[in-house]
């Protein structure tokens, strides 16, 4: 039975045997009284399902589902929401941890601010095998408490900060979020075009509807390790066989996100503070800079699904002069914005 005040802690799982037990423990220890813990496995080949099913035998509020065929990350997120029996959704990834009062405090915050979506500060659990590229992310990650005050962040304030920080995730990963199911329906669901930025794009798009609530309390812990999705997406090097995936995840998502700010009517508020010509320049500069660093052949192959969607780069050949011109424009925009 669906309950309006109940919260479904959704764990989209895939080969998560190493940390799943700890994540599940943090879920069932929540102080909020009306909770279910829903694990949806997407075709794991390790002991993920065994661990989850074992946990369900000793905890009445834990449910485990197995997808008949692997649909990928975004499809599994959507499946979690569809199968959740409660109206509020709290994502918890298989390698992350929640503080015991995380759900209670986020639900209290939503009630106090009349918000349908909220997020908290998170800190990081850094494993020894965390790659250098992912460790660098930590240095710029916790922007929320520097940017926002506790309470309701209005769409105008959010749009101003998104315009300032561009594609930097000033909200945080899905483990930071709590939202009402209706938000996902009204915002239009998760956008499967994105590899790395799907959570941030959704959170911004949803928050631009009626705002988002924030607490600077650290209520979640995001784990950084060598086999995490974030590490897989960001750790490739020029000699690495996964370079194309890394380029697609980082450069491709950046370009797609700026193009979304430019072309999607749901991001019109962002364009009030980030002019269209500046957005077009950023898109061109990002693409040409990637070509400069990795060669246009490699970049075009890695972004072959992105380029046809973005008119600004669809027929943009790389040459050094064009790169220098777009770089000069980009620096000029940045200088004016920082005044």
């Amino acid at each position: 039975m669906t309950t309006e005040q109940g919260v479904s802690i959704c764990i989209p799982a895939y080969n998560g045997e190493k940390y799943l037990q700890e994540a599940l423990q943090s879920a069932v220890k929540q102080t909020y009284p009306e909770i279910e813990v829903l694990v949806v496995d997407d075709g794991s080949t390790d002991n993920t399902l065994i661990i989850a099913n074992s946990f369900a035998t000793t905890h009445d509020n834990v449910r485990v589902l197995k997808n008949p065929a692997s649909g990928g990350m975004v499809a599994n997120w959507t499946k979690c929401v569809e199968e959740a029996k409660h109206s509020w959704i709290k994502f918890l990834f298989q390698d992350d941890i929640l503080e015991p009062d995380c759900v209670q405090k986020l639900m209290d915050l939503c009630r106090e601010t009349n918000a349908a979506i909220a997020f908290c500060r998170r800190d990081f659990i850094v494993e020894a095998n965390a790659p250098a590229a992912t460790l660098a992310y930590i240095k710029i990650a916790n922007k929320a408490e520097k940017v926002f005050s506790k309470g309701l962040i209005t769409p105008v304030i959010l749009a101003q900060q998104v315009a300032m920080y561009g594609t930097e995730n000033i909200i945080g990963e899905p483990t930071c979020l709590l939202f009402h199911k209706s938000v996902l329906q009204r915002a239009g669901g998760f956008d499967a075009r994105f590899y790395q930025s799907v959570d941030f794009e959704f959170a911004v798009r949803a928050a631009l509807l009626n705002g988002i609530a924030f607490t600077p309390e650290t209520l979640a812990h995001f784990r950084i390790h060598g086999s995490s999705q974030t590490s897989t997406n960001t750790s490739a090097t020029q000699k690495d066989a996964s370079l194309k995936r890394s380029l697609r995840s980082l450069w491709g998502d950046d370009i797609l996100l700026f193009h979304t700010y430019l072309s999607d009517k749901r991001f019109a508020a962002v364009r009030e503070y980030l002019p269209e010509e500046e957005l077009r320049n950023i898109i061109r500069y990002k693409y040409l800079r990637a070509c400069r660093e990795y060669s246009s052949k490699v970049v075009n192959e890695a972004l072959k699904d992105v380029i046809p969607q973005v008119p600004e780069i669809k027929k943009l050949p790389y040459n050094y002069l064009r790169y220098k011109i777009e770089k000069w424009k980009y620096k000029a925009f940045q200088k004016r914005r920082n005044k």
Side-chain angles (χ1 to χ4, degrees), residues 122-151:
R122 84 299 203 199
D123 67 7
F124 298 92
I125 304 169
V126 182
E127 301 290 334
N129 64 346
T134 311
L135 292 175
Y137 168 72
I138 298 175
K139 296 180 180 179
I140 63 170
N142 267 325
K143 288 277 176 61
E145 68 268 30
K146 301 173 184 176
V147 173
F148 304 119
S149 300
K150 181 178 181 179

Side-chain angles (χ1 to χ4, degrees), residues 240-259:
D240 197 314
S242 59
L243 172 64
K244 289 180 182 177
R245 179 176 178 85
S246 181
L247 284 172
R248 174 58 184 83
S249 299
L250 298 177
W251 295 87
D253 267 23
D254 256 18
I255 288 168
L256 269 180
L257 194 46
F258 278 117
H259 176 65

